[in-house]
Amino acid sequence: MEYLTTHLLFNLALLIVLLFLCFMWVKRFKGFQYYKKTALFYCIASIVLCFLFSYRISDSIVLDLRMVPYVIGALYMRFSPILGLLIIFLRAIHGIDYGFYFVLCYYGLFGIISWFISPWFLRQRSNHRILISTCFTILSSISLIIYLEVLDQSYLMFDFFIAFLIVLPIGVAMLSFIIEMIEKYHLLYQQVLKTEKLEAVEQMGAAISHEILNPLTSAIGFTQLLDEESVESRKKIQYLSIIKGELEAAEQVIKDYLTFSKPQIESVEKLNVNEELFRLLKFLEPLANINSVKLLTKFSAKVYLDGDRQKFQQCFINILRNVIESLPNGGDVLIETECTQKNIFIIIKDSGLGMSKSSLKRLGEPYYLTNGKKGTGLGIMVAYSIVRAMGGTIDVKSEIGIGTTFRFSFNRIT
């Protein structure tokens, strides 16, 4: 003979497994904004499972662990009307008898009680909520035992006591504890996201304000010099040229920020990758010579991609400038292209100092530079944004003392 306690322990195992699967589903695919919907699905699915694996004592008495998801859903999510109606409906499928009428009265009464105490319950501390939900379950279990005693099921009372006064409360306590842990994880997750967003905003604000204030301060200073009557006309022209250069520098910072925040590809055209790279390498050659860096090339046959010429050049100028400036003692930089039937790969390798794993993770963050100089760190960020806007991907590998390799992948066209 199968004991009720054994049957309910099997029910409890199913409920715990289902809760774990729902939590993983929310965390992996949907995100915590679907938390309440998933909780409702869990409670409904759990009640249905309990009915499917119910324990029938007689034609009118059907026992299972439905009280566990009901208590959890009623107290934590205020689902008592929905779950109560579902239980009554499923019990009606088993038959309209005195057992059905007991369920109707039983869940009607506890549904009203749980509805009114739920707001007070949710204001309690975590440990108190676990204790309250367990005590609530014990009270409901006592009423069930009294009902079974009235029906003269005395030969099974020891099994009933174990099942309803131990298994049922422990089941609610376990699920309550798991839910409290999920709630704490959710709150911690939200705090981490908020902190990361605030940190990014602070870093971006500090970076941009620093880079804009410097040229503006310089421009204001030379503007004040222009007001002096003793300034020669030749110096006025020189001052105006400096002011123009400083304002253009501030404008470039703003343009970089706008490109990063909303990298729009305005004009798409067929680009010869090798020709575009040759053109920008000529532009960067003086900077490479100043830093004692030798630019090497290893290009494959002609390859083409669809993209914005200006944005493409801006992306790789930013990357190569950063690579060149990050070689304090000079060295070699190899720019290589490879292609397959579907993809084009642009590979940039340097023989520099390399980056640690922590530095590699921070690459592309605001105000983080690898060239050891002051700046906004927007150059790499803009490059990353442009690559994403053009449907490409970036893979960066680096080893301390060996160097860093950037690998860009784009869709190839014929």
Side-chain angles (χ1 to χ4, degrees):
M1 176 181 176
E2 183 184 5
Y3 289 103
L4 174 62
T5 303
T6 307
H7 199 85
L8 294 190
L9 285 172
F10 174 70
N11 274 196
L12 182 58
L14 290 178
L15 298 185
I16 293 173
V17 170
L18 182 61
L19 180 62
F20 173 76
L21 292 176
C22 287
F23 172 70
M24 294 304 296
W25 169 260
V26 169
K27 184 176 180 295
R28 177 67 179 85
F29 298 103
K30 292 293 184 180
F32 281 102
Q33 64 268 29
Y34 295 92
Y35 178 68
K36 194 166 184 177
K37 292 180 181 178
T38 307
L40 178 60
F41 166 79
Y42 169 76
C43 292
I44 292 174
S46 297
I47 290 172
V48 172
L49 275 175
C50 289
F51 269 95
L52 289 175
F53 296 96
S54 58
Y55 186 87
R56 184 180 286 274
I57 296 176
S58 64
D59 292 339
S60 58
I61 302 177
V62 180
L63 301 176
D64 51 52
L65 219 60
R66 74 191 78 159
M67 178 54 70
V68 173
Y70 177 81
V71 170
I72 297 297
L75 293 179
Y76 279 95
M77 309 304 271
R78 303 198 77 191
F79 291 154
S80 55
I82 299 173
L83 301 180
L85 289 173
L86 175 65
I87 290 172
I88 292 168
F89 170 75
L90 293 174
R91 180 58 184 83
I93 295 175
H94 283 276
I96 307 297
D97 45 35
Y98 62 82
F100 166 78
Y101 292 113
F102 172 79
V103 168
L104 181 63
C105 298
Y106 181 84
Y107 284 97
L109 175 63
F110 277 99
I112 294 170
I113 295 172
S114 60
W115 177 263
F116 283 105
I117 71 169
S118 179
W120 168 81
F121 170 82
L122 293 172
R123 290 195 297 270
Q124 305 306 307
R125 294 181 180 178
S126 175
N127 292 337
H128 292 173
R129 285 197 294 264
I130 296 173
L131 180 61
I132 292 167
S133 61
T134 305
C135 292
F136 187 85
T137 308
I138 291 173
L139 289 175
S140 65
S141 298
I142 291 172
S143 63
L144 278 172
I145 291 172
I146 293 171
Y147 167 70
L148 293 171
E149 183 72 36
V150 170
L151 293 178
D152 193 22
Q153 300 288 337
S154 56
Y155 66 97
L156 292 172
M157 287 314 294
F158 180 75
D159 193 19
F160 290 162
F161 271 105
I162 297 296
F164 289 110
L165 291 181
I166 296 179
V167 176
L168 209 65
I170 287 177
V172 170
M174 288 176 63
L175 292 185
S176 296
F177 178 78
I178 293 171
I179 288 170
E180 293 295 340
M181 291 300 102
I182 293 173
E183 287 283 348
K184 288 180 181 178
Y185 174 84
H186 175 49
L187 290 174
L188 182 62
Y189 177 75
Q190 293 296 329
Q191 289 174 0
V192 169
L193 285 181
K194 186 176 180 180
T195 303
E196 287 179 349
K197 288 178 181 178
L198 289 174
E199 185 181 355
V201 170
E202 289 172 0
Q203 289 177 343
M204 182 70 75
I208 293 174
S209 62
H210 172 77
E211 287 301 307
I212 291 179
L213 281 176
N214 279 348
L216 287 182
T217 302
S218 178
I220 291 170
F222 282 103
T223 303
Q224 291 172 346
L225 290 175
L226 287 173
D227 286 338
E228 297 179 4
E229 295 180 359
S230 59
V231 178
E232 299 176 0
S233 58
R234 179 176 57 83
K235 286 192 174 182
K236 284 185 178 182
I237 295 172
Q238 183 182 358
Y239 292 164
L240 286 171
S241 176
I242 293 171
I243 292 170
K244 181 183 177 184
E246 296 295 339
L247 292 176
E248 286 176 348
E251 181 188 27
Q252 186 59 46
V253 173
I254 296 172
K255 284 182 177 179
D256 283 345
Y257 173 72
L258 292 174
T259 302
F260 164 71
S261 60
K262 198 173 183 181
Q264 293 180 345
I265 303 301
E266 296 173 357
S267 59
V268 177
E269 55 186 303
K270 187 176 180 179
L271 302 179
N272 185 320
V273 174
N274 294 344
E275 287 183 3
E276 298 301 327
L277 290 175
F278 267 124
R279 189 176 289 113
L280 63 91
L281 287 176
K282 286 291 183 183
F283 174 78
L284 291 169
E285 193 172 347
L287 178 64
N289 292 334
I290 292 172
N291 289 273
S292 303
V293 173
K294 188 176 182 181
L295 299 176
L296 306 173
T297 59
K298 185 180 177 183
F299 293 161
S300 63
K302 285 186 179 181
V303 286
Y304 298 89
L305 60 83
D306 281 331
D308 186 317
R309 174 175 278 107
Q310 182 181 358
K311 292 288 192 296
F312 180 86
Q313 292 204 358
Q314 182 184 6
C315 167
F316 285 97
I317 285 174
N318 288 350
I319 293 290
L320 285 166
R321 180 180 288 146
N322 190 274
V323 169
I324 291 169
E325 292 177 348
S326 65
L327 299 174
N329 303 316
D332 296 336
V333 176
L334 174 64
I335 300 92
E336 186 177 356
T337 60
E338 296 177 356
C339 62
T340 62
Q341 291 184 347
K342 294 183 178 180
N343 298 101
I344 299 169
F345 299 100
I346 300 173
I347 303 161
I348 300 174
K349 299 179 182 178
D350 67 53
S351 57
L353 301 176
M355 290 183 285
S356 64
K357 290 183 178 179
S358 59
S359 298
L360 202 59
K361 288 179 180 178
R362 293 194 61 194
L363 194 64
E365 289 184 7
Y367 215 41
Y368 182 74
L369 300 104
T370 59
N371 53 20
K373 298 186 178 183
K374 294 181 178 180
T376 61
L378 281 172
I380 298 290
M381 294 169 61
V382 168
Y384 274 50
S385 297
I386 291 172
V387 171
R388 285 194 295 268
M390 292 177 60
T393 59
I394 304 176
D395 179 44
V396 186
K397 294 180 180 179
S398 186
E399 291 185 41
I400 300 292
I402 296 177
T404 304
T405 301
F406 288 84
R407 186 180 180 89
F408 301 83
S409 175
F410 297 95
N411 293 327
R412 178 185 180 183
I413 63 171
T414 56

